[in-house]
Amino acid sequence: MLLADSRLPAGAHVSSNALEAALRDGLRRDEVGAYLASRQVTVTRVEAGTAVLARHLALTCAPEELAPALAALEAEWAARTPGRAQREITRVLGDGLRRLADVLWPGAIPPVAAGAPPRPRPVVLGLVAAAAGLPAPELVRLVAYDDAQTVVAALLKLEPGDPRAGAALVLEACAAMEPLVGPLAALQDPVLLPSAGAPQTEDWAEAQSALPRRLFRA
Amino acid sequence: MTRIAVERAAGPVRLHLAPGLLQPRLVSRGGTSAQVALVASGATLLGGDEVAVDVEVGDGCTLGIEDVGGTVAYESTGAPSRFDVRIRLGVGARLIWRAHPFVVTDGADVRRRTAITLGEGAALLLRETLVLGRTGERGGRLATALEARSTSGTPLLIEHLDLDGASPRPGVLGGHRVLDTALLLGRRPPEAPVDPADPVGPRVLHLEQPGAIGRALGASAHATDVAAMMESWAPAVGAGEGGA
C-alpha cells in the first residue's frame, strides 16, 4: 500500500510517463485510455518483469551472488529500453526509491559497483518487495497501478478534468495488465525477460526530456 | 535457406553463396571485403512461406549487402509466413545491409526474427523499413523479434514488436504506417549537430551498449530521412574508422 502511494517521498511526481510530450504531439484526451493500455502491455510489462526478476533473485541468490546477478538483470532491462532518456529517468526514480528503502528496509538494496549507474526503479522495487514480503503477482499489479496512476495524475495537471474519470482510466489500465500477471509473476530467468517495444512511446519519452517549458521532467 | 558467408583467404576473401527464396549475387570483392546483392526471386511472401537468410562475416572482413527490390507479404491463408535472418559477425567484422522496405499487406500475418551475434570489435549497420499496407491499405499483422548479443552473451538490443494495421495503438505506432529504422551496433554514432529550428527527422535512441537506433515514424516510406542517417553513420562502421 505504502509503495503504491504517489505521496511517498521518492520523487515520482516529476514524471508524466511522457504524457506531456504525447499531448503536444497530438495525442487526444480521448486516446489517453488507449495509451495507458498500450503502455501496460509494452513498457510497463518490461518494468513489471524486471521487478519480478529482482525480487526472485533477492529471494534465491546467495548473498555474494546477488550483486552480479542484479547487474546481469539490469543489462537485460537496459537492452529492452532503447532510449537513453528513458533509462536515465528510470535510474533517477530508482535512486529516489533506494534512498527511502535504505531507511525503511536497511540492507535490502545492495550497493552498486563503483562507477556503475544507480539501479533502475523496477529493480529497487523488486528488492523492496522481497524484503517486505510482497508476493510476485501483487508486485506486477503494483507496477501496473503505479504506471497508470503516474499518467493520470499528470493528465489532471496538464488538462484538468473530472478526477473520477481519471480513476476510471486507472482501473481500465490495470485490467489490461491482468492477463499478463500470471506469466510475469512466474519469471525466474533474466534472459527470458519479455521485450515489447512501443516505438511511439519511446519517441515521446526522448522528446519529453528535451521539451521546452515543460511541467514534467519525464 | 539463403546463405552468405565471407572469410579471409590468401588473396581475395572467400565467399560462400547459397540461394534460397532470396538469391545472393556477388557484386565485387577485395582482400578483406565483399559486396553482395540480394535478389528476391518472386519478391513475395505468401501465407506459410518461410524465408531464411544466414549471414556470416568472418574475422576482420567487411560485407555490404544491397537488396534488389523490397519484399511484399500477402494475405495469409491461415498459416503465418516467416522471415528469419541470422547474422554472425566475427572479431572486428563489419556488415552494412541496406535493406529495402518490407510491406505487410491487408490480411497478411508475418513473423520476423532477426538474431544477431557480434564478435569483439565488430560493427553492424542495418536498415529496416517496416510498412503496414500498400497505398490505401491499413496493413496486416507483423510480429518482429530482434535479439542482438555479443559473443559473450551481453545483451545489446532485444526488441519485440507486435503490430497490427487493423488495430493501431497509440504509443506503439499510433496512426503511422511506416516504421523506418537504421540500427547501429558495436559503435557509437557520430554526434549530429541538433538544429532546434528543424526538429523533424529521425529520432536517435542511444543504446546502453555502444550502438543506436535512428528511427522515424511516418505515413510513407519515402518521407523519412533514415536513408540519409544511415549514410551519415556508415563511416563509423567502415574499414579503418570509428575504432573498435
Side-chain angles (χ1 to χ4, degrees), chain A:
Chain A
M1 290 287 277
L2 183 74
L3 289 169
D5 191 332
S6 62
R7 288 164 295 183
L8 201 64
H13 60 277
V14 302
S15 177
S16 75
N17 283 345
L19 178 73
E20 187 171 15
L23 293 171
R24 287 205 207 175
D25 190 44
L27 183 78
R28 298 191 313 270
R29 203 195 154 94
D30 64 4
E31 292 175 315
V32 172
Y35 174 53
L36 287 172
S38 294
R39 289 186 64 86
Q40 292 288 321
V41 298
T42 57
V43 290
T44 312
R45 180 185 191 179
V46 175
E47 300 258 313
T50 304
V52 165
L53 286 162
R55 174 188 173 278
H56 176 76
L57 294 174
L59 294 176
T60 56
C61 283
E64 68 278 12
E65 289 169 359
L66 182 57
L70 289 174
L73 169 62
E74 286 165 20
E76 297 290 338
W77 163 80
R80 289 156 177 80
T81 310
R84 188 161 56 190
Q86 186 60 50
R87 291 193 304 276
E88 272 176 13
I89 188 67
T90 306
R91 284 176 167 138
V92 167
L93 294 175
D95 211 38
L97 186 58
R98 192 267 309 157
R99 284 194 293 272
L100 180 75
D102 283 348
V103 174
L104 299 180
W105 296 277
I109 320 293
V112 294
R119 301 196 186 285
R121 183 174 155 84
V123 170
V124 177
L125 206 51
L127 294 170
V128 167
L134 188 70
E138 296 314 308
L139 176 59
V140 173
R141 293 187 178 103
L142 171 68
V143 174
Y145 171 80
D146 185 60
D147 186 89
Q149 188 65 277
T150 298
V151 175
V152 169
L155 177 66
L156 292 173
K157 286 181 190 145
L158 293 164
E159 293 198 5
D162 183 353
R164 289 168 298 183
L169 283 175
V170 172
L171 276 179
E172 279 170 38
C174 292
M177 177 65 91
E178 205 49 37
L180 300 174
V181 169
L184 286 171
L187 284 171
Q188 297 191 344
D189 180 356
V191 172
L192 299 181
L193 173 65
S195 160
Q200 193 174 38
T201 300
E202 288 146 13
D203 187 62
W204 286 334
E206 293 300 307
Q208 177 82 40
S209 70
L211 217 53
R213 295 180 303 281
R214 63 189 173 169
L215 209 51
F216 292 93
R217 173 165 177 188

Side-chain angles (χ1 to χ4, degrees), chain A residues 25 27 31 34-35 38 41-42 72 74-84 87 91 117 191 195-204 206-207, chain B residues 146-149 153-163 169-176 179 188 191 203-209 213 215 217:
Chain A
D25 190 44
L27 183 78
E31 292 175 315
Y35 174 53
S38 294
V41 298
T42 57
E74 286 165 20
E76 297 290 338
W77 163 80
R80 289 156 177 80
T81 310
R84 188 161 56 190
R87 291 193 304 276
R91 284 176 167 138
V191 172
S195 160
Q200 193 174 38
T201 300
E202 288 146 13
D203 187 62
W204 286 334
E206 293 300 307
Chain B
L146 185 145
E147 307 223 354
R149 290 182 184 268
T154 302
L156 308 175
L157 176 66
I158 317 283
E159 183 177 65
H160 296 203
L161 298 173
D162 192 2
L163 310 175
R169 294 185 286 165
V172 179
L173 290 192
H176 302 290
L179 181 64
R188 301 263 175 217
E191 290 290 338
R203 173 86 54 197
V204 179
L205 301 173
H206 295 273
L207 305 180
E208 176 102 333
Q209 296 292 326
I213 289 173
R215 178 169 270 175
L217 292 160

Side-chain angles (χ1 to χ4, degrees), chain B residues 65-78:
Chain B
I65 303 179
E66 303 269 357
D67 278 14
V68 179
T71 304
V72 181
Y74 286 100
E75 189 168 2
S76 89
T77 47

Side-chain angles (χ1 to χ4, degrees), chain B:
Chain B
M1 181 172 70
T2 304
R3 185 168 145 76
I4 304 171
V6 189
E7 62 179 346
R8 296 284 280 270
V13 290
R14 184 177 298 131
L15 269 125
H16 304 270
L17 302 178
L21 282 176
L22 302 176
Q23 318 232 353
R25 304 230 196 288
L26 180 62
V27 176
S28 64
R29 67 173 154 169
T32 57
S33 66
Q35 187 71 24
V36 169
L38 201 50
V39 184
S41 41
T44 59
L45 205 55
L46 303 173
D49 276 356
E50 295 188 3
V51 171
V53 182
D54 189 88
V55 179
E56 187 168 3
V57 185
D59 294 355
C61 292
T62 301
L63 174 66
I65 303 179
E66 303 269 357
D67 278 14
V68 179
T71 304
V72 181
Y74 286 100
E75 189 168 2
S76 89
T77 47
S81 51
R82 291 185 174 277
F83 195 99
D84 289 344
V85 175
R86 188 164 66 147
I87 296 170
R88 283 171 294 169
L89 303 186
V91 175
R94 302 177 179 95
L95 171 64
I96 299 184
W97 188 342
R98 294 176 176 86
H100 280 215
F102 189 89
V103 182
V104 181
T105 65
D106 282 2
D109 184 5
V110 188
R111 315 280 154 86
R112 257 175 88 96
R113 252 176 55 87
T114 309
I116 300 167
T117 311
L118 245 70
E120 197 177 326
L124 167 71
L125 181 58
L126 175 68
R127 176 93 179 268
E128 186 185 65
T129 310
L130 305 175
V131 183
L132 292 178
R134 291 166 295 187
T135 307
E137 292 185 337
R138 306 176 75 184
R141 285 209 57 179
L142 174 61
T144 72
L146 185 145
E147 307 223 354
R149 290 182 184 268
S150 72
T151 318
S152 59
T154 302
L156 308 175
L157 176 66
I158 317 283
E159 183 177 65
H160 296 203
L161 298 173
D162 192 2
L163 310 175
D164 186 353
S167 47
R169 294 185 286 165
V172 179
L173 290 192
H176 302 290
R177 290 197 310 115
V178 177
L179 181 64
D180 201 354
T181 302
L183 170 62
L184 175 66
L185 292 177
R187 300 284 188 275
R188 301 263 175 217
E191 290 290 338
V194 178
D195 180 0
D198 180 27
V200 185
R203 173 86 54 197
V204 179
L205 301 173
H206 295 273
L207 305 180
E208 176 102 333
Q209 296 292 326
I213 289 173
R215 178 169 270 175
L217 292 160
S220 83
H222 308 294
T224 77
D225 298 325
V226 174
M229 176 162 280
M230 184 90 186
E231 296 316 312
S232 76
W233 287 359
V237 175
E241 295 191 53

